[in-house]
Amino acid sequence: MVEKIDEISYSLLKKSLDASSERGRVIANNIANVNTKGFKASRVVFEDKLNDALENRSIDLATTNEKHIKKGNSLSNLNYDVVKDKSTSMRTDGNNVDIDNEMVNLATNTILYNALINQANSRISMRRLVIK
């Protein structure tokens, strides 16, 4: 049971790192296109999906083929989505990148990414210590 919990938490750590890494790329792309006419900013949606999966947690279905029915809210099927915000516009040229908001998101994401890396390094160090 402890091994299963450790496996789940390590898997969540990896998925969170993937989402944070992708979020960094999306924010960098938004910043790079701050002066591009008609550009629409994108966002990475992960935390809401993680909360939904944790609240509706149930037994995972085993799948051996990509055509098998997948359980939508299980932790093993959890992935981030990149969503383009087409609803707003910051300027008359149709661009909706708010550079101040992007810089705040970049700082927040950097802090989150560093915390996740520290957690991963801590787990690896702990395992090394146990193996010795």
Side-chain angles (χ1 to χ4, degrees), residues 58-71:
S58 61
I59 298 171
D60 295 340
L61 298 175
T63 56
T64 56
N65 187 318
E66 66 184 39
K67 293 181 181 177
H68 287 169
I69 297 172
K70 294 180 181 172
K71 184 150 179 64

PDB file of all heavy atoms in Angstrom, residues 58-71:
ATOM      1  N   SER A  58     -11.399   7.260  -8.172  1.00  0.00           N
ATOM      2  CA  SER A  58     -11.974   5.928  -8.171  1.00  0.00           C
ATOM      3  C   SER A  58     -10.934   4.958  -8.715  1.00  0.00           C
ATOM      4  O   SER A  58      -9.811   5.332  -9.016  1.00  0.00           O
ATOM      5  CB  SER A  58     -13.243   5.898  -9.025  1.00  0.00           C
ATOM      6  OG  SER A  58     -12.917   6.245 -10.348  1.00  0.00           O
ATOM      7  N   ILE A  59     -11.335   3.728  -8.893  1.00  0.00           N
ATOM      8  CA  ILE A  59     -10.414   2.705  -9.370  1.00  0.00           C
ATOM      9  C   ILE A  59     -10.099   2.948 -10.837  1.00  0.00           C
ATOM     10  O   ILE A  59     -10.987   3.184 -11.651  1.00  0.00           O
ATOM     11  CB  ILE A  59     -11.041   1.315  -9.189  1.00  0.00           C
ATOM     12  CG1 ILE A  59     -11.298   1.062  -7.710  1.00  0.00           C
ATOM     13  CG2 ILE A  59     -10.150   0.236  -9.764  1.00  0.00           C
ATOM     14  CD1 ILE A  59     -12.114  -0.176  -7.446  1.00  0.00           C
ATOM     15  N   ASP A  60      -8.814   2.885 -11.191  1.00  0.00           N
ATOM     16  CA  ASP A  60      -8.407   3.063 -12.576  1.00  0.00           C
ATOM     17  C   ASP A  60      -8.750   1.831 -13.404  1.00  0.00           C
ATOM     18  O   ASP A  60      -8.640   0.701 -12.937  1.00  0.00           O
ATOM     19  CB  ASP A  60      -6.900   3.284 -12.668  1.00  0.00           C
ATOM     20  CG  ASP A  60      -6.474   4.575 -12.011  1.00  0.00           C
ATOM     21  OD1 ASP A  60      -7.336   5.447 -11.826  1.00  0.00           O
ATOM     22  OD2 ASP A  60      -5.288   4.680 -11.700  1.00  0.00           O
ATOM     23  N   LEU A  61      -9.156   2.050 -14.647  1.00  0.00           N
ATOM     24  CA  LEU A  61      -9.398   0.951 -15.565  1.00  0.00           C
ATOM     25  C   LEU A  61      -8.092   0.608 -16.265  1.00  0.00           C
ATOM     26  O   LEU A  61      -7.340   1.486 -16.660  1.00  0.00           O
ATOM     27  CB  LEU A  61     -10.448   1.358 -16.603  1.00  0.00           C
ATOM     28  CG  LEU A  61     -11.829   1.702 -16.077  1.00  0.00           C
ATOM     29  CD1 LEU A  61     -12.715   2.197 -17.220  1.00  0.00           C
ATOM     30  CD2 LEU A  61     -12.454   0.494 -15.428  1.00  0.00           C
ATOM     31  N   ALA A  62      -7.830  -0.683 -16.402  1.00  0.00           N
ATOM     32  CA  ALA A  62      -6.633  -1.103 -17.126  1.00  0.00           C
ATOM     33  C   ALA A  62      -6.884  -0.967 -18.617  1.00  0.00           C
ATOM     34  O   ALA A  62      -7.914  -1.398 -19.133  1.00  0.00           O
ATOM     35  CB  ALA A  62      -6.296  -2.543 -16.786  1.00  0.00           C
ATOM     36  N   THR A  63      -5.946  -0.327 -19.316  1.00  0.00           N
ATOM     37  CA  THR A  63      -6.070  -0.183 -20.759  1.00  0.00           C
ATOM     38  C   THR A  63      -4.793  -0.719 -21.397  1.00  0.00           C
ATOM     39  O   THR A  63      -3.689  -0.404 -20.960  1.00  0.00           O
ATOM     40  CB  THR A  63      -6.278   1.274 -21.177  1.00  0.00           C
ATOM     41  OG1 THR A  63      -5.211   2.050 -20.669  1.00  0.00           O
ATOM     42  CG2 THR A  63      -7.591   1.822 -20.653  1.00  0.00           C
ATOM     43  N   THR A  64      -4.963  -1.549 -22.408  1.00  0.00           N
ATOM     44  CA  THR A  64      -3.807  -2.103 -23.121  1.00  0.00           C
ATOM     45  C   THR A  64      -3.760  -1.625 -24.556  1.00  0.00           C
ATOM     46  O   THR A  64      -2.823  -1.934 -25.269  1.00  0.00           O
ATOM     47  CB  THR A  64      -3.866  -3.640 -23.106  1.00  0.00           C
ATOM     48  OG1 THR A  64      -5.106  -4.044 -23.656  1.00  0.00           O
ATOM     49  CG2 THR A  64      -3.708  -4.174 -21.690  1.00  0.00           C
ATOM     50  N   ASN A  65      -4.786  -0.889 -24.952  1.00  0.00           N
ATOM     51  CA  ASN A  65      -4.856  -0.381 -26.311  1.00  0.00           C
ATOM     52  C   ASN A  65      -5.375   1.053 -26.241  1.00  0.00           C
ATOM     53  O   ASN A  65      -6.224   1.373 -25.412  1.00  0.00           O
ATOM     54  CB  ASN A  65      -5.803  -1.261 -27.143  1.00  0.00           C
ATOM     55  CG  ASN A  65      -5.805  -0.892 -28.607  1.00  0.00           C
ATOM     56  OD1 ASN A  65      -5.799   0.283 -28.968  1.00  0.00           O
ATOM     57  ND2 ASN A  65      -5.816  -1.903 -29.451  1.00  0.00           N
ATOM     58  N   GLU A  66      -4.880   1.915 -27.102  1.00  0.00           N
ATOM     59  CA  GLU A  66      -5.321   3.309 -27.064  1.00  0.00           C
ATOM     60  C   GLU A  66      -6.796   3.495 -27.393  1.00  0.00           C
ATOM     61  O   GLU A  66      -7.382   4.529 -27.105  1.00  0.00           O
ATOM     62  CB  GLU A  66      -4.467   4.163 -27.987  1.00  0.00           C
ATOM     63  CG  GLU A  66      -4.620   3.832 -29.441  1.00  0.00           C
ATOM     64  CD  GLU A  66      -3.689   4.643 -30.323  1.00  0.00           C
ATOM     65  OE1 GLU A  66      -2.537   4.873 -29.938  1.00  0.00           O
ATOM     66  OE2 GLU A  66      -4.145   5.033 -31.405  1.00  0.00           O
ATOM     67  N   LYS A  67      -7.427   2.479 -27.993  1.00  0.00           N
ATOM     68  CA  LYS A  67      -8.844   2.571 -28.331  1.00  0.00           C
ATOM     69  C   LYS A  67      -9.746   2.145 -27.174  1.00  0.00           C
ATOM     70  O   LYS A  67     -10.961   2.278 -27.260  1.00  0.00           O
ATOM     71  CB  LYS A  67      -9.144   1.708 -29.558  1.00  0.00           C
ATOM     72  CG  LYS A  67      -8.479   2.244 -30.815  1.00  0.00           C
ATOM     73  CD  LYS A  67      -8.803   1.396 -32.010  1.00  0.00           C
ATOM     74  CE  LYS A  67      -8.106   1.959 -33.238  1.00  0.00           C
ATOM     75  NZ  LYS A  67      -8.326   1.128 -34.418  1.00  0.00           N
ATOM     76  N   HIS A  68      -9.161   1.626 -26.089  1.00  0.00           N
ATOM     77  CA  HIS A  68      -9.962   1.244 -24.927  1.00  0.00           C
ATOM     78  C   HIS A  68     -10.549   2.490 -24.273  1.00  0.00           C
ATOM     79  O   HIS A  68      -9.974   3.584 -24.367  1.00  0.00           O
ATOM     80  CB  HIS A  68      -9.115   0.508 -23.905  1.00  0.00           C
ATOM     81  CG  HIS A  68      -8.765  -0.883 -24.329  1.00  0.00           C
ATOM     82  ND1 HIS A  68      -7.847  -1.643 -23.669  1.00  0.00           N
ATOM     83  CD2 HIS A  68      -9.198  -1.648 -25.348  1.00  0.00           C
ATOM     84  CE1 HIS A  68      -7.730  -2.806 -24.247  1.00  0.00           C
ATOM     85  NE2 HIS A  68      -8.545  -2.842 -25.279  1.00  0.00           N
ATOM     86  N   ILE A  69     -11.649   2.311 -23.612  1.00  0.00           N
ATOM     87  CA  ILE A  69     -12.293   3.405 -22.899  1.00  0.00           C
ATOM     88  C   ILE A  69     -11.400   3.809 -21.744  1.00  0.00           C
ATOM     89  O   ILE A  69     -10.993   2.984 -20.942  1.00  0.00           O
ATOM     90  CB  ILE A  69     -13.681   2.984 -22.374  1.00  0.00           C
ATOM     91  CG1 ILE A  69     -14.598   2.660 -23.538  1.00  0.00           C
ATOM     92  CG2 ILE A  69     -14.273   4.067 -21.493  1.00  0.00           C
ATOM     93  CD1 ILE A  69     -15.916   2.059 -23.128  1.00  0.00           C
ATOM     94  N   LYS A  70     -11.103   5.105 -21.676  1.00  0.00           N
ATOM     95  CA  LYS A  70     -10.270   5.608 -20.593  1.00  0.00           C
ATOM     96  C   LYS A  70     -11.144   6.320 -19.595  1.00  0.00           C
ATOM     97  O   LYS A  70     -12.105   6.975 -19.945  1.00  0.00           O
ATOM     98  CB  LYS A  70      -9.221   6.562 -21.139  1.00  0.00           C
ATOM     99  CG  LYS A  70      -8.225   5.880 -22.024  1.00  0.00           C
ATOM    100  CD  LYS A  70      -7.215   6.846 -22.542  1.00  0.00           C
ATOM    101  CE  LYS A  70      -6.265   6.079 -23.435  1.00  0.00           C
ATOM    102  NZ  LYS A  70      -5.365   6.941 -24.145  1.00  0.00           N
ATOM    103  N   LYS A  71     -10.770   6.190 -18.363  1.00  0.00           N
ATOM    104  CA  LYS A  71     -11.499   6.883 -17.315  1.00  0.00           C
ATOM    105  C   LYS A  71     -11.019   8.325 -17.306  1.00  0.00           C
ATOM    106  O   LYS A  71      -9.843   8.600 -17.146  1.00  0.00           O
ATOM    107  CB  LYS A  71     -11.234   6.221 -15.980  1.00  0.00           C
ATOM    108  CG  LYS A  71     -12.024   6.805 -14.870  1.00  0.00           C
ATOM    109  CD  LYS A  71     -12.293   5.736 -13.856  1.00  0.00           C
ATOM    110  CE  LYS A  71     -13.082   6.290 -12.688  1.00  0.00           C
ATOM    111  NZ  LYS A  71     -14.371   6.750 -13.057  1.00  0.00           N
TER     112      LYS A  71
END
